[in-house]
Amino acid sequence: MTSAPRHSRLFSALLLTLVVALGTVGEWLIEKQANAELRVDVQNRLGQSRERLAATLYAHIQLVRGLVSVVHLAPDLDQQRFEIATRPLLEGGGSYLRNIAAAPDLVIRYMAPLKGNERAIGRAYRDLPGQFASVERARLTRQMVVAGPVKLVQGGVGLIVRVPIYLPDATGQGDHFWGMVSAVIDSDRLLASVGLPDGDPTMEVAIRGRDGLGARGEVFLGRPQVLDRKSTRLNSSHIPLSRMPSSA
């Protein structure tokens, strides 16, 4: 007579255990689905930011590279003509360019805007250790180089686009190095324009690749630990900076 209640209690305990197990599995499945949905959401948002950042950065780089044609047409340009040529770049809507310099033979001769940057005139890049490495890399490789982000004397943080310029010789059989055009892009405003960082407390963003070195470069936005936590990193994105010849 006592076996029935005992079996009943055992059945109830098993049923309770099964219900608890199903509840735990259900919570795990819900959490897993939520994590999957969060991953997709983060991937979409990061992908959109990547596309906007790449498009905006490339647009600014193309503007700077357009000055190569100006130098080809007037290699003996002066400050007035340089300011006229660069004014649309600096004053155009949506431009994050802060200043542009031209340095024949690696000595800064022309600057736009000139106001506030007068002290740069006459400075030789060879006498500026913090800048000469990227300048020399651009000269030797004949490729555009994106340096930084670096802290700017005027305040804020900027990316520096270096474009070496080679002009054809009189014979047309070769060329010679004319100098360097450098432009500073306000990286704080650039990143803010594409929503980085986006202020979402549930997501931490970090960007690696100082001086255009990609995965080999230092972290310049966010905490380096974010990129080391493989278990919590939901997605990563890479913006390649194509190496475009600048003497054409």
Side-chain angles (χ1 to χ4, degrees), residues 147-160:
V150 298
K151 290 184 178 179
L152 303 175
V153 176
Q154 307 93 325
V157 180
L159 291 166
I160 305 179

Side-chain angles (χ1 to χ4, degrees), residues 71 73 100 105 121 137 195:
V71 176
L73 292 173
I100 305 172
D105 298 321
I121 300 298
R137 180 153 59 104

